[in-house]
Amino acid sequence: MCDDRLCSDCQEYCEQCDERYCPYCYERHACANTQDPCYRNPYEGRPVREPFTFGLEIEVDGNHDTDMLRNHRLIAGWCPDGSLHHDGSLEYQSEPMTMSQLTEIRRLVERIATDTDNTLSGGHMHISRTGRQTPARWYWALEALDGTQCEALNMRHMTDTRWCELIHGDYCGKDTAINDTHRHTIEFRTFGPWHHDTAGRLDAAVHYMHAMWRFFQKFPVPKLKTRDIQAMSRVAATQAINDTNATTAGRRRI
């Protein structure tokens, strides 16, 4: 484990390898790298004009219905997470998904309930990487959002949480809003936990990410000005939030 001085109550015991680890070094723990899920390509066998995919890391803090999540076809794998401390906590990794699967994953999220308040958990989102999807572009997009928009999109980089700081030029690690260390995806750690209380924000969050992804795809690097990115980001967020609110209201009337 790492060299941080921690009491025994702050350390976790791994039943697989009989070693201890702490919340700050779980990713370096020997067993952490043996539980990577096997993902399916959602576009396999069909032509693709625009290969946008998104995937979720759904951290559930506390006891919950594990069978419901483990047996769902959109869940690729699961593992413990060192940042979660309540008994029964797990992180679930989804398959890469297309926009056509958004309704299905939202319905699953609507069914997630725990016996804790989930304040320590997150709901990181991965999107497909291309040469035009740069972390700097996404930095300016997120920086343009105001507090009301962030809340409606379940984003928390404007709060004091240490797990997703939005800092210009800092796009590496487990405490950044934008993590650029993955080979095939860009990870957005700004998203808060996904469960029955936040499921209503998932549609807006994914539609916003999709709109910005498509916008960036249209312009080679560095053919975009910061002011254009920020203007588009505010418009995309407003549109995604308004459309989702209208759709939700329509579902309630039916």
Coordinates of all heavy atoms in Angstrom, one line a residue, residues 180-210:
D180 N -7.5 12.4 -18.9 CA -7.1 12.1 -20.3 C -6.1 10.9 -20.4 O -5.3 10.8 -21.4 CB -6.5 13.4 -21.0 CG -6.3 13.2 -22.5 OD1 -7.2 12.7 -23.1 OD2 -5.3 13.7 -23.0
T181 N -6.1 10.0 -19.5 CA -5.1 9.0 -19.4 C -5.6 7.7 -20.0 O -4.8 6.7 -20.1 CB -4.7 8.7 -17.9 OG1 -5.8 8.3 -17.2 CG2 -4.1 10.0 -17.3
H182 N -6.8 7.6 -20.5 CA -7.3 6.3 -21.1 C -7.0 6.3 -22.6 O -7.1 7.4 -23.2 CB -8.8 6.1 -20.8 CG -9.1 6.1 -19.3 ND1 -8.9 4.9 -18.6 CD2 -9.6 7.0 -18.5 CE1 -9.3 5.2 -17.3 NE2 -9.7 6.4 -17.2
R183 N -6.8 5.1 -23.1 CA -6.4 5.0 -24.5 C -7.6 5.3 -25.5 O -7.4 6.0 -26.5 CB -5.8 3.6 -24.8 CG -5.4 3.4 -26.2 CD -4.8 2.0 -26.4 NE -4.4 1.7 -27.8 CZ -4.0 0.5 -28.2 NH1 -3.9 -0.5 -27.4 NH2 -3.7 0.4 -29.5
H184 N -8.7 4.8 -25.2 CA -9.8 4.8 -26.1 C -10.9 5.8 -25.7 O -11.8 6.1 -26.5 CB -10.5 3.4 -26.3 CG -9.5 2.4 -26.8 ND1 -9.0 2.5 -28.1 CD2 -9.0 1.3 -26.2 CE1 -8.2 1.4 -28.3 NE2 -8.2 0.7 -27.1
T185 N -10.9 6.4 -24.5 CA -11.9 7.3 -24.1 C -11.3 8.4 -23.3 O -10.2 8.4 -22.9 CB -12.9 6.5 -23.1 OG1 -12.2 6.1 -21.9 CG2 -13.5 5.3 -23.8
I186 N -12.1 9.5 -23.2 CA -11.8 10.5 -22.2 C -12.8 10.4 -21.1 O -14.0 10.2 -21.3 CB -12.0 11.9 -22.9 CG1 -11.1 12.1 -24.1 CG2 -11.8 13.0 -21.8 CD1 -11.3 13.4 -24.8
E187 N -12.3 10.4 -19.8 CA -13.1 10.2 -18.7 C -13.5 11.6 -18.0 O -12.6 12.4 -17.8 CB -12.4 9.4 -17.6 CG -13.2 9.2 -16.3 CD -12.3 8.5 -15.3 OE1 -11.1 8.4 -15.4 OE2 -13.0 8.0 -14.3
F188 N -14.8 11.7 -17.7 CA -15.3 12.9 -17.1 C -15.7 12.5 -15.7 O -16.7 11.9 -15.4 CB -16.4 13.5 -17.9 CG -16.0 14.1 -19.2 CD1 -15.8 13.2 -20.3 CD2 -15.7 15.4 -19.4 CE1 -15.4 13.7 -21.5 CE2 -15.2 15.9 -20.6 CZ -15.1 15.0 -21.7
R189 N -14.8 13.0 -14.7 CA -15.0 12.6 -13.3 C -15.9 13.6 -12.6 O -16.2 13.5 -11.4 CB -13.7 12.5 -12.6 CG -12.8 11.5 -13.2 CD -11.4 11.4 -12.5 NE -11.5 11.2 -11.1 CZ -11.7 10.0 -10.5 NH1 -11.7 8.9 -11.3 NH2 -11.7 9.8 -9.2
T190 N -16.4 14.6 -13.3 CA -17.2 15.7 -12.8 C -18.6 15.2 -12.4 O -19.3 15.8 -11.5 CB -17.4 16.9 -13.7 OG1 -18.3 17.8 -13.2 CG2 -18.0 16.4 -15.1
F191 N -19.1 14.1 -12.9 CA -20.5 13.7 -12.7 C -20.6 13.0 -11.3 O -19.8 12.2 -10.9 CB -20.9 12.7 -13.8 CG -21.1 13.3 -15.1 CD1 -20.1 13.1 -16.1 CD2 -22.2 14.1 -15.4 CE1 -20.2 13.8 -17.3 CE2 -22.4 14.7 -16.6 CZ -21.4 14.5 -17.6
G192 N -21.7 13.4 -10.7 CA -22.0 12.9 -9.4 C -22.7 11.5 -9.5 O -22.8 11.0 -10.6
P193 N -23.1 10.9 -8.4 CA -23.6 9.5 -8.4 C -24.9 9.4 -9.2 O -25.7 10.4 -9.3 CB -23.8 9.2 -6.9 CG -24.0 10.6 -6.3 CD -23.1 11.5 -7.0
W194 N -25.0 8.3 -9.8 CA -26.3 8.0 -10.5 C -27.1 7.0 -9.7 O -26.6 5.9 -9.5 CB -25.9 7.4 -11.9 CG -25.2 8.4 -12.8 CD1 -23.9 8.2 -13.2 CD2 -25.7 9.6 -13.4 NE1 -23.6 9.3 -14.0 CE2 -24.6 10.2 -14.1 CE3 -26.9 10.3 -13.3 CZ2 -24.8 11.4 -14.8 CZ3 -27.0 11.5 -13.9 CH2 -26.0 12.0 -14.7
H195 N -28.3 7.4 -9.3 CA -29.2 6.5 -8.6 C -30.6 7.1 -8.8 O -30.8 8.0 -9.6 CB -28.8 6.4 -7.1 CG -28.6 7.7 -6.5 ND1 -29.6 8.7 -6.2 CD2 -27.4 8.3 -6.1 CE1 -29.1 9.7 -5.6 NE2 -27.7 9.5 -5.5
H196 N -31.6 6.6 -8.0 CA -33.0 7.0 -8.3 C -33.2 8.4 -8.1 O -34.1 9.0 -8.7 CB -33.9 6.1 -7.4 CG -33.7 6.4 -5.9 ND1 -34.6 7.2 -5.2 CD2 -32.8 6.0 -5.1 CE1 -34.2 7.3 -4.0 NE2 -33.1 6.5 -3.8
D197 N -32.4 9.1 -7.3 CA -32.7 10.6 -7.1 C -32.1 11.4 -8.2 O -32.4 12.6 -8.3 CB -32.1 11.0 -5.7 CG -32.9 10.4 -4.5 OD1 -34.1 10.2 -4.7 OD2 -32.3 10.2 -3.4
T198 N -31.1 10.9 -8.9 CA -30.4 11.7 -9.9 C -30.7 11.2 -11.3 O -30.2 11.8 -12.3 CB -28.9 11.7 -9.7 OG1 -28.4 10.4 -9.8 CG2 -28.5 12.3 -8.4
A199 N -31.5 10.1 -11.5 CA -31.7 9.5 -12.8 C -32.4 10.5 -13.7 O -32.1 10.5 -15.0 CB -32.6 8.3 -12.6
G200 N -33.1 11.5 -13.2 CA -33.8 12.5 -14.1 C -32.8 13.4 -14.8 O -33.2 14.1 -15.7
R201 N -31.6 13.4 -14.3 CA -30.6 14.3 -14.9 C -29.7 13.6 -16.0 O -29.0 14.2 -16.7 CB -29.6 14.9 -13.9 CG -30.3 15.6 -12.7 CD -29.4 16.0 -11.7 NE -30.0 16.2 -10.4 CZ -29.4 16.5 -9.2 NH1 -28.1 16.5 -9.2 NH2 -30.1 16.7 -8.1
L202 N -29.9 12.3 -16.1 CA -29.0 11.5 -16.9 C -29.2 11.8 -18.4 O -28.3 12.0 -19.2 CB -29.2 10.0 -16.7 CG -28.3 9.1 -17.5 CD1 -26.8 9.4 -17.3 CD2 -28.6 7.6 -17.2
D203 N -30.5 11.9 -18.8 CA -30.8 12.2 -20.2 C -30.1 13.5 -20.7 O -29.5 13.6 -21.7 CB -32.3 12.3 -20.5 CG -32.9 10.9 -20.6 OD1 -32.3 9.9 -20.1 OD2 -34.0 10.8 -21.1
A204 N -30.3 14.6 -19.8 CA -29.7 15.9 -20.1 C -28.2 15.8 -20.2 O -27.6 16.4 -21.1 CB -30.2 16.9 -19.1
A205 N -27.6 15.1 -19.2 CA -26.1 15.0 -19.2 C -25.6 14.3 -20.5 O -24.6 14.8 -21.1 CB -25.7 14.2 -18.0
V206 N -26.2 13.2 -20.9 CA -25.7 12.5 -22.1 C -26.0 13.3 -23.3 O -25.1 13.4 -24.2 CB -26.3 11.1 -22.2 CG1 -25.9 10.4 -23.5 CG2 -25.9 10.3 -21.0
H207 N -27.1 14.0 -23.4 CA -27.4 14.8 -24.6 C -26.5 16.0 -24.7 O -26.1 16.3 -25.8 CB -28.9 15.2 -24.6 CG -29.9 14.2 -25.1 ND1 -30.0 13.9 -26.4 CD2 -30.7 13.4 -24.4 CE1 -30.9 12.9 -26.6 NE2 -31.4 12.7 -25.4
Y208 N -26.1 16.6 -23.6 CA -25.2 17.7 -23.6 C -23.8 17.2 -24.1 O -23.2 17.8 -25.0 CB -25.0 18.3 -22.2 CG -23.8 19.1 -22.1 CD1 -23.8 20.4 -22.6 CD2 -22.6 18.7 -21.5 CE1 -22.6 21.2 -22.5 CE2 -21.5 19.4 -21.4 CZ -21.5 20.7 -21.9 OH -20.4 21.5 -21.8
M209 N -23.3 16.0 -23.6 CA -22.0 15.5 -24.0 C -22.0 15.1 -25.5 O -21.1 15.4 -26.2 CB -21.7 14.3 -23.1 CG -21.6 14.5 -21.6 SD -20.2 15.7 -21.2 CE -18.8 14.6 -21.5
H210 N -23.1 14.6 -25.9 CA -23.3 14.2 -27.3 C -23.2 15.4 -28.2 O -22.5 15.4 -29.3 CB -24.6 13.4 -27.6 CG -24.7 12.9 -28.9 ND1 -25.9 12.8 -29.6 CD2 -23.8 12.4 -29.8 CE1 -25.8 12.3 -30.8 NE2 -24.5 12.1 -31.0

